[in-house]
Short mmCIF file of all heavy atoms in Angstrom, two decimals:
data_model
loop_
_atom_site.label_atom_id
_atom_site.label_comp_id
_atom_site.label_asym_id
_atom_site.label_seq_id
_atom_site.Cartn_x
_atom_site.Cartn_y
_atom_site.Cartn_z
N ASP G 247 -87.34 118.40 -2.69
CA ASP G 247 -87.37 119.77 -3.27
C ASP G 247 -86.00 119.95 -3.77
O ASP G 247 -85.11 119.00 -3.85
CB ASP G 247 -87.73 120.75 -2.16
CG ASP G 247 -86.66 120.85 -1.03
OD1 ASP G 247 -85.57 120.62 -1.21
OD2 ASP G 247 -87.06 121.29 0.10
N SER G 248 -85.80 121.05 -4.45
CA SER G 248 -84.59 121.30 -5.31
C SER G 248 -83.30 121.22 -4.48
O SER G 248 -82.33 120.71 -4.92
CB SER G 248 -84.66 122.54 -6.02
OG SER G 248 -85.73 122.56 -7.00
N VAL G 249 -83.40 121.70 -3.24
CA VAL G 249 -82.18 121.69 -2.39
C VAL G 249 -81.89 120.29 -1.96
O VAL G 249 -80.76 119.82 -1.93
CB VAL G 249 -82.29 122.67 -1.15
CG1 VAL G 249 -81.18 122.46 -0.22
CG2 VAL G 249 -82.46 124.20 -1.66
N GLN G 250 -82.90 119.61 -1.51
CA GLN G 250 -82.78 118.10 -1.17
C GLN G 250 -82.23 117.31 -2.33
O GLN G 250 -81.39 116.38 -2.23
CB GLN G 250 -84.09 117.46 -0.64
CG GLN G 250 -84.55 118.07 0.67
CD GLN G 250 -86.00 117.66 1.08
OE1 GLN G 250 -86.83 117.46 0.10
NE2 GLN G 250 -86.26 117.56 2.33
N PHE G 251 -82.73 117.52 -3.64
CA PHE G 251 -82.20 116.88 -4.71
C PHE G 251 -80.70 117.20 -4.87
O PHE G 251 -79.92 116.29 -5.24
CB PHE G 251 -83.12 117.25 -5.87
CG PHE G 251 -82.69 116.54 -7.17
CD1 PHE G 251 -83.05 115.18 -7.42
CD2 PHE G 251 -82.08 117.30 -8.25
CE1 PHE G 251 -82.72 114.56 -8.55
CE2 PHE G 251 -81.83 116.58 -9.42
CZ PHE G 251 -82.12 115.25 -9.67
N ALA G 252 -80.36 118.41 -4.81
CA ALA G 252 -78.95 118.84 -5.01
C ALA G 252 -78.08 118.04 -3.93
O ALA G 252 -77.12 117.52 -4.09
CB ALA G 252 -78.79 120.34 -4.79
N ASP G 253 -78.61 117.93 -2.72
CA ASP G 253 -77.90 117.39 -1.61
C ASP G 253 -77.78 115.77 -1.97
O ASP G 253 -76.74 115.19 -1.58
CB ASP G 253 -78.63 117.55 -0.26
CG ASP G 253 -78.52 118.91 0.36
OD1 ASP G 253 -77.50 119.69 -0.18
OD2 ASP G 253 -79.27 119.28 1.11
N LYS G 254 -78.76 115.25 -2.49
CA LYS G 254 -78.74 113.81 -2.82
C LYS G 254 -77.68 113.53 -3.86
O LYS G 254 -76.92 112.51 -3.82
CB LYS G 254 -80.19 113.33 -3.35
CG LYS G 254 -80.17 111.94 -3.76
CD LYS G 254 -80.12 111.13 -2.44
CE LYS G 254 -80.36 109.58 -2.74
NZ LYS G 254 -80.14 108.62 -1.46
N LEU G 255 -77.69 114.42 -4.92
CA LEU G 255 -76.51 114.25 -5.98
C LEU G 255 -75.13 114.37 -5.26
O LEU G 255 -74.25 113.54 -5.62
CB LEU G 255 -76.80 115.32 -7.11
CG LEU G 255 -77.93 115.20 -7.88
CD1 LEU G 255 -77.86 116.29 -9.04
CD2 LEU G 255 -78.15 113.80 -8.55
N LYS G 256 -74.97 115.29 -4.38
CA LYS G 256 -73.70 115.48 -3.70
C LYS G 256 -73.44 114.35 -2.85
O LYS G 256 -72.27 113.83 -2.80
CB LYS G 256 -73.77 116.81 -2.89
CG LYS G 256 -72.44 117.16 -2.36
CD LYS G 256 -71.50 117.59 -3.34
CE LYS G 256 -70.25 118.05 -2.85
NZ LYS G 256 -69.26 118.32 -3.94
N GLU G 257 -74.35 113.73 -2.12
CA GLU G 257 -74.13 112.49 -1.25
C GLU G 257 -73.64 111.41 -2.19
O GLU G 257 -72.90 110.62 -1.83
CB GLU G 257 -75.55 112.23 -0.62
CG GLU G 257 -75.59 111.02 0.18
CD GLU G 257 -76.97 110.55 0.60
OE1 GLU G 257 -77.67 111.48 1.01
OE2 GLU G 257 -77.27 109.49 0.50
N ILE G 258 -74.42 111.18 -3.38
CA ILE G 258 -74.04 110.11 -4.21
C ILE G 258 -72.39 110.26 -4.76
O ILE G 258 -71.67 109.48 -4.64
CB ILE G 258 -74.82 110.01 -5.42
CG1 ILE G 258 -76.30 109.67 -4.96
CG2 ILE G 258 -74.36 108.95 -6.39
CD1 ILE G 258 -77.36 109.93 -5.95
N GLU G 259 -72.11 111.54 -5.16
CA GLU G 259 -70.81 111.85 -5.59
C GLU G 259 -69.80 111.63 -4.44
O GLU G 259 -68.80 111.12 -4.65
CB GLU G 259 -70.76 113.31 -6.02
CG GLU G 259 -69.35 113.75 -6.60
CD GLU G 259 -69.28 115.10 -7.05
OE1 GLU G 259 -70.09 116.01 -6.56
OE2 GLU G 259 -68.55 115.38 -7.97
N ASN G 260 -70.16 112.02 -3.19
CA ASN G 260 -69.20 112.05 -2.16
C ASN G 260 -68.94 110.58 -1.59
O ASN G 260 -67.92 110.34 -0.88
CB ASN G 260 -69.67 112.93 -0.95
CG ASN G 260 -69.49 114.29 -1.23
OD1 ASN G 260 -68.69 114.76 -2.12
ND2 ASN G 260 -70.08 115.21 -0.47
N ASP G 261 -69.89 109.70 -1.96
CA ASP G 261 -69.81 108.29 -1.52
C ASP G 261 -68.39 107.84 -1.97
O ASP G 261 -67.83 106.91 -1.33
CB ASP G 261 -70.98 107.53 -2.09
CG ASP G 261 -70.88 106.05 -1.60
OD1 ASP G 261 -70.11 105.29 -2.23
OD2 ASP G 261 -71.56 105.66 -0.59
N GLY G 262 -68.02 108.05 -3.27
CA GLY G 262 -66.82 107.66 -3.72
C GLY G 262 -66.77 106.34 -4.48
O GLY G 262 -65.85 106.03 -5.22
N PHE G 263 -67.86 105.61 -4.27
CA PHE G 263 -67.94 104.32 -5.06
C PHE G 263 -68.45 104.40 -6.40
O PHE G 263 -68.06 103.66 -7.27
CB PHE G 263 -68.90 103.28 -4.07
CG PHE G 263 -69.07 102.03 -4.80
CD1 PHE G 263 -68.04 101.01 -4.71
CD2 PHE G 263 -70.26 101.69 -5.39
CE1 PHE G 263 -68.29 99.81 -5.42
CE2 PHE G 263 -70.39 100.45 -6.04
CZ PHE G 263 -69.44 99.49 -5.95
N TYR G 264 -69.30 105.37 -6.73
CA TYR G 264 -70.08 105.37 -7.86
C TYR G 264 -69.40 106.29 -8.93
O TYR G 264 -68.98 107.37 -8.62
CB TYR G 264 -71.52 106.00 -7.70
CG TYR G 264 -72.27 105.04 -6.82
CD1 TYR G 264 -72.49 105.35 -5.36
CD2 TYR G 264 -72.79 103.77 -7.10
CE1 TYR G 264 -73.15 104.62 -4.48
CE2 TYR G 264 -73.49 102.99 -6.31
CZ TYR G 264 -73.65 103.38 -4.97
OH TYR G 264 -74.32 102.49 -4.15
N ASN G 265 -69.29 105.84 -10.19
CA ASN G 265 -68.66 106.44 -11.36
C ASN G 265 -69.67 107.32 -12.03
O ASN G 265 -69.43 108.20 -12.73
CB ASN G 265 -68.01 105.55 -12.24
CG ASN G 265 -66.80 104.84 -11.65
OD1 ASN G 265 -66.11 105.43 -10.80
ND2 ASN G 265 -66.54 103.72 -12.15
N LYS G 266 -70.94 106.84 -11.93
CA LYS G 266 -72.03 107.43 -12.74
C LYS G 266 -73.27 107.39 -12.08
O LYS G 266 -73.65 106.40 -11.43
CB LYS G 266 -72.02 106.79 -14.10
CG LYS G 266 -72.96 107.11 -15.11
CD LYS G 266 -72.89 106.36 -16.49
CE LYS G 266 -72.30 105.11 -16.48
NZ LYS G 266 -72.19 104.45 -17.80
N ILE G 267 -74.17 108.43 -12.34
CA ILE G 267 -75.53 108.45 -11.92
C ILE G 267 -76.40 108.23 -13.16
O ILE G 267 -76.19 108.98 -14.12
CB ILE G 267 -76.01 109.67 -11.19
CG1 ILE G 267 -75.07 109.91 -10.00
CG2 ILE G 267 -77.50 109.65 -10.78
CD1 ILE G 267 -75.35 111.21 -9.31
N ILE G 268 -77.24 107.23 -13.12
CA ILE G 268 -78.08 106.87 -14.18
C ILE G 268 -79.59 107.06 -13.76
O ILE G 268 -79.93 106.52 -12.86
CB ILE G 268 -77.90 105.52 -14.86
CG1 ILE G 268 -76.49 105.18 -15.21
CG2 ILE G 268 -78.97 105.15 -15.88
CD1 ILE G 268 -76.21 103.73 -15.53
N PHE G 269 -80.23 108.07 -14.39
CA PHE G 269 -81.63 108.32 -14.29
C PHE G 269 -82.46 107.46 -15.27
O PHE G 269 -82.27 107.68 -16.46
CB PHE G 269 -82.05 109.72 -14.32
CG PHE G 269 -81.45 110.63 -13.24
CD1 PHE G 269 -80.21 111.17 -13.29
CD2 PHE G 269 -82.17 110.78 -12.00
CE1 PHE G 269 -79.56 111.99 -12.26
CE2 PHE G 269 -81.66 111.52 -11.03
CZ PHE G 269 -80.49 112.14 -11.19
N LEU G 270 -83.39 106.66 -14.87
CA LEU G 270 -84.10 105.91 -15.76
C LEU G 270 -85.54 106.42 -15.73
O LEU G 270 -86.35 106.43 -14.70
CB LEU G 270 -84.19 104.38 -15.47
CG LEU G 270 -82.95 103.67 -15.53
CD1 LEU G 270 -83.01 102.17 -15.04
CD2 LEU G 270 -82.37 103.63 -16.94
N ILE G 271 -86.07 106.73 -17.08
CA ILE G 271 -87.45 107.23 -17.24
C ILE G 271 -88.23 106.17 -18.16
O ILE G 271 -87.76 105.92 -19.24
CB ILE G 271 -87.47 108.64 -17.89
CG1 ILE G 271 -86.64 109.73 -16.98
CG2 ILE G 271 -88.73 109.11 -18.18
CD1 ILE G 271 -86.38 110.94 -17.63
N GLY G 272 -89.23 105.73 -17.72
CA GLY G 272 -90.06 104.82 -18.48
C GLY G 272 -90.82 105.32 -19.58
O GLY G 272 -91.00 106.68 -19.55
N GLY G 273 -91.40 104.64 -20.40
CA GLY G 273 -92.27 105.01 -21.45
C GLY G 273 -93.66 105.18 -20.91
O GLY G 273 -93.83 105.42 -19.74
N SER G 274 -94.65 105.10 -21.80
CA SER G 274 -96.01 105.26 -21.42
C SER G 274 -96.52 104.38 -20.44
O SER G 274 -97.40 104.67 -19.60
CB SER G 274 -96.98 105.24 -22.69
OG SER G 274 -96.74 103.92 -23.34
N ASN G 275 -95.95 103.08 -20.19
CA ASN G 275 -96.39 102.21 -19.24
C ASN G 275 -95.50 102.30 -17.96
O ASN G 275 -95.57 101.46 -17.10
CB ASN G 275 -96.34 100.69 -19.83
CG ASN G 275 -97.36 100.54 -20.87
OD1 ASN G 275 -98.34 101.12 -20.75
ND2 ASN G 275 -96.92 99.89 -21.89
N GLY G 276 -94.57 103.22 -17.89
CA GLY G 276 -93.78 103.40 -16.74
C GLY G 276 -92.63 102.43 -16.76
O GLY G 276 -92.35 101.87 -17.75
N LEU G 277 -92.10 102.14 -15.62
CA LEU G 277 -90.98 101.15 -15.43
C LEU G 277 -91.47 99.84 -14.91
O LEU G 277 -92.37 99.78 -14.06
CB LEU G 277 -89.96 101.73 -14.50
CG LEU G 277 -89.14 102.94 -15.00
CD1 LEU G 277 -88.42 103.56 -13.80
CD2 LEU G 277 -88.27 102.63 -16.11
N SER G 278 -90.92 98.77 -15.37
CA SER G 278 -91.24 97.38 -14.81
C SER G 278 -90.80 97.26 -13.46
O SER G 278 -89.87 97.96 -12.89
CB SER G 278 -90.64 96.40 -15.79
OG SER G 278 -89.32 96.22 -15.52
N ASP G 279 -91.40 96.30 -12.72
CA ASP G 279 -91.03 95.86 -11.42
C ASP G 279 -89.50 95.45 -11.28
O ASP G 279 -88.78 95.69 -10.41
CB ASP G 279 -91.87 94.88 -10.77
CG ASP G 279 -93.32 95.35 -10.51
OD1 ASP G 279 -93.47 96.54 -10.30
OD2 ASP G 279 -94.20 94.63 -10.34
N ASN G 280 -89.09 94.76 -12.45
CA ASN G 280 -87.84 94.30 -12.62
C ASN G 280 -86.77 95.42 -12.58
O ASN G 280 -85.74 95.44 -11.86
CB ASN G 280 -87.65 93.52 -13.85
CG ASN G 280 -86.12 93.07 -14.12
OD1 ASN G 280 -85.51 92.46 -13.27
ND2 ASN G 280 -85.64 93.44 -15.29
#
């Protein structure tokens, strides 16, 4: 839900290791297994 999503973003930011969050959205066939 929206609050859990916000908490997830905060968790990633607080980890301290990650410089960037990348969201990947596939085309009409979705994302490959790779």
Side-chain angles (χ1 to χ4, degrees):
D247 64 28
S248 294
V249 173
Q250 291 169 326
F251 183 70
D253 290 341
K254 183 68 175 176
L255 294 181
K256 189 67 174 170
E257 174 188 318
I258 297 165
E259 181 182 30
N260 286 345
D261 183 278
F263 177 75
Y264 300 102
N265 291 333
K266 178 175 21 178
I267 302 172
I268 299 173
F269 290 92
L270 292 177
I271 300 171
S274 58
N275 294 322
L277 296 168
S278 71
D279 289 338
N280 176 54

